Amino acid sequence: MSKVVKFGGSSVASAAQLKKVVEIIKSDSDRKFVIVSAPGKRDASDTKVTDLLIAYYQTYKAGKSVGEVQDQIVERYAEIARELELDDEIIREIAYSLHELATLDKENRFTYDTFLAAGEDNSAKLVAAFFTKAGLPARYVSPEDAGIFVSEEPSNARLLIESYDQLNYLNELSEIVVIPGFFGVTKKGEVCTFSRGGSDITGSIVAAGVKADLYENFTDVDGIFAVNPKIIENPEAIHEVTFREMRELAYSGFSVLHDEALVPAFRAGISIVIKNTNNPDHPGTRIVLEHSENFAPVVGIASDNGFSTLNLSKYLLNREIGFGRKILLVLEEFGVRFEHMPTGIDDISVIMRDAFLGKETEKLILDKLAETLHPDVLNFEHNLSIVMLVGEGMREHIGVTARAAKALSDSNVNIRMLSQGASEYSIMFVVKSIDEEKAVQALYQTFFW
Ligand code: ASP
């Protein structure tokens, strides 16, 4: 049995947190592979090391003096190392690697990523040194040595599939293996990071590569909440959720796991557990392939605002071939991604994020559609929110939509659109953004109280 364990920024932010981390590893001999983030915030007003590294890069790139920001970053590590009573050697090594960044080629397109990756890289070196000192022989392994090879897409790397075969050799190492999260190397040896929060992705990749039995992701919450805690105070944590449900919950706006981190573990059939470093006895949330027992029809409610719909209506639309394609072609031309597309006999609505729109783009889209499709009704509607009721169990239950719709109508929420995909993993309600909180509260009371 082997487990890959990933610790997020707040879990490695201070000496006190790292003492919890070492106990977590000591308490289970299956925890053999450890992935770490860069030190995160110690309190709400603190700055993440990754953000300090961005400031460092910007100062360097602008040709200004970098001494102050360098000192600030070195001190974040040095303070932890001193409190853990580690050798000065490790502080010197970390300081050297951080200073060296200011000698890199400013024009190289991977330099920014190399700066950012230093946060995780030095964190892993420090953690390995601490584990060894605490009686847990550990070895730092760089992503290059581990074999995490990625595409040449700065700040948005994707794993090259052959990496999985290479990673398997990590099973032969006898020590605890500590790998920095968040980045890999290109075939040319350039450092290239995943998108922000990407240490979660590394953990999932390593779990798939070493064929682990479990991927444990330690954060600072007791798991994934069933609903946004900003809307419902102290909501329930989800005990078990499937990978498919997790995808549907992606609108939640309170996600604790990077979206892309699901895929490697899912494809390898490895469950993920989200756990709390500050409360490790709590079972957390298990993300599984299939539910283990008969589950409640609804596991969670996700919601997000900032949506608009493009509404099109044309008499006898259902007789026209290629109408949908023509609409999507226009959106593609303007670089607009869509989220959902509910249809009626003579209507199509396309739901998209406001981030892709703007007065000018909207006018161009409307003009083009009017010219090519001659619809009877054509407009954009703004200030909309999506509220998703998620649960695979609803497939086997009668009346989930009825209960949800009643809850919304009792709360005086007008449902602008409603769609239940063929998969029946979720029901989507589109409501006016001013009604979003009311809608979520009504649904939570109906399905969780
Ligand atoms: N340190 C990186 C970030 O802040 C990656 C991570 O923590 O997962 O985005």
Side-chain angles (χ1 to χ4, degrees):
M1 179 94 172
S2 80
K3 294 178 184 168
V4 169
V5 194
K6 183 252 164 179
F7 291 96
S10 60
S11 304
V12 296
S14 66
Q17 288 300 89
L18 282 173
K19 286 180 186 165
K20 296 178 191 167
V21 166
V22 83
E23 288 313 315
I24 289 169
I25 301 299
K26 277 185 177 172
S27 68
D28 183 346
S29 60
D30 294 335
R31 292 174 171 150
K32 293 184 187 133
F33 306 96
V34 175
I35 315 299
V36 290
S37 282
K41 293 183 181 196
R42 291 160 292 189
D43 54 59
S45 63
D46 203 6
T47 309
K48 285 172 147 205
V49 163
T50 309
D51 292 323
L52 292 175
L53 286 161
I54 293 176
Y56 178 15
Y57 170 81
Q58 284 164 344
T59 314
Y60 173 58
K61 176 104 179 157
K64 296 192 194 141
S65 156
V66 292
E68 200 178 312
V69 64
Q70 272 179 343
D71 290 350
Q72 208 183 344
I73 302 169
V74 171
E75 185 49 27
R76 280 296 308 266
Y77 292 98
E79 187 186 317
I80 300 175
R82 278 194 307 269
E83 273 183 53
L84 295 175
E85 295 173 13
L86 301 180
D87 286 351
D88 283 351
E89 179 54 31
I90 183 82
I91 305 179
R92 273 198 296 276
E93 197 185 319
I94 291 173
Y96 177 77
S97 94
L98 289 167
H99 287 148
E100 279 294 286
L101 293 172
T103 63
L104 295 175
D105 176 4
K106 289 179 188 167
E107 301 313 318
N108 184 309
R109 64 191 185 114
F110 295 100
T111 295
Y112 176 75
D113 287 23
T114 312
F115 268 71
L116 264 65
E120 269 65 17
D121 202 44
N122 288 308
S123 180
K125 286 180 185 157
L126 190 132
V127 168
F130 172 50
F131 280 8
T132 305
K133 180 167 188 293
L136 207 61
R139 179 204 288 224
Y140 155 85
V141 178
S142 70
E144 184 167 17
D145 289 341
I148 302 177
F149 292 105
V150 295
S151 61
E152 292 184 16
E153 291 171 278
S155 305
N156 200 18
R158 271 175 296 175
L159 186 77
L160 301 183
I161 226 70
E162 63 259 35
S163 302
Y164 288 123
D165 297 334
Q166 301 227 25
L167 279 160
N168 207 4
Y169 94 92
L170 295 173
N171 280 307
E172 290 158 24
L173 303 178
S174 55
E175 305 103 317
I176 304 271
V177 173
V178 184
I179 304 175
F182 188 39
F183 68 100
V185 287
T186 66
K187 281 281 166 169
K188 292 186 195 128
E190 309 272 16
V191 169
C192 193
T193 71
F194 300 115
S195 52
R196 288 295 305 265
S199 298
D200 288 339
I201 307 175
T202 307
S204 189
I205 288 168
V206 173
V210 301
K211 303 189 170 49
D213 298 283
L214 192 66
Y215 169 26
E216 294 180 310
N217 189 298
F218 278 82
T219 70
D220 51 8
V221 286
D222 281 339
I224 299 166
F225 294 120
V227 66
N228 190 341
K230 288 195 186 119
I231 300 181
I232 303 285
E233 218 181 305
N234 286 327
E236 284 182 29
I238 303 175
H239 168 56
E240 186 181 273
V241 60
T242 66
F243 282 93
R244 289 176 291 265
E245 289 167 340
M246 270 298 281
R247 279 299 297 143
E248 304 281 342
L249 286 168
Y251 287 113
S252 46
F254 58 94
S255 101
V256 282
L257 192 71
H258 195 296
D259 261 1
E260 292 170 42
L262 292 175
V263 183
F266 172 69
R267 296 222 167 108
I270 299 166
S271 298
I272 304 177
V273 189
I274 309 289
K275 283 180 74 85
N276 188 352
T277 298
N278 306 316
N279 188 15
D281 293 332
H282 190 285
T285 301
R286 281 186 93 83
I287 307 171
V288 296
L289 289 172
E290 301 293 339
H291 276 304
S292 51
E293 313 148 29
N294 236 354
F295 248 73
V298 175
V299 299
I301 301 165
S303 64
D304 203 2
N305 56 20
F307 292 94
S308 292
T309 57
L310 169 68
N311 304 314
L312 252 120
S313 186
K314 189 176 181 188
Y315 191 59
L316 293 181
L317 174 69
N318 63 338
R319 293 219 195 142
E320 288 195 33
I321 291 175
F323 201 88
R325 179 181 57 80
K326 286 175 195 155
I327 298 173
L328 296 183
L329 265 180
V330 173
L331 293 181
E332 190 180 338
E333 190 182 317
F334 292 99
V336 178
R337 201 177 74 190
F338 79 99
E339 303 283 323
H340 299 274
M341 196 160 82
T343 56
I345 186 159
D346 284 341
D347 321 271
I348 296 186
S349 290
V350 189
I351 305 172
M352 50 205 125
R353 288 202 179 263
D354 290 342
F356 292 101
L357 299 170
K359 276 212 158 53
E360 211 171 300
T361 315
E362 285 169 31
K363 184 170 181 324
L364 292 169
I365 291 175
L366 292 177
D367 288 350
K368 187 81 189 244
L369 288 171
E371 180 192 310
T372 42
L373 297 171
H374 312 292
D376 301 323
V377 176
L378 176 64
N379 57 47
F380 271 102
E381 187 177 344
H382 300 290
N383 303 319
L384 297 173
S385 289
I386 283 183
V387 178
M388 282 276 188
L389 204 55
V390 180
E392 292 199 23
M394 62 175 73
R395 211 171 11 188
E396 316 294 335
H397 280 75
I398 294 170
V400 176
T401 314
R403 284 170 70 200
K406 178 162 189 320
L408 295 178
S409 91
D410 287 351
S411 298
N412 228 349
V413 172
N414 184 19
I415 303 171
R416 287 288 304 109
M417 252 167 249
L418 183 157
S419 132
Q420 178 168 35
S423 64
E424 279 196 64
Y425 301 146
S426 67
I427 304 170
M428 178 191 71
F429 299 95
V430 177
V431 299
K432 283 201 161 34
S433 290
I434 42 163
D435 286 336
E436 178 186 329
E437 288 203 3
K438 221 169 24 165
V440 171
Q441 278 155 357
L443 294 173
Y444 189 76
Q445 277 167 20
T446 303
F447 292 97
F448 290 88
W449 275 353

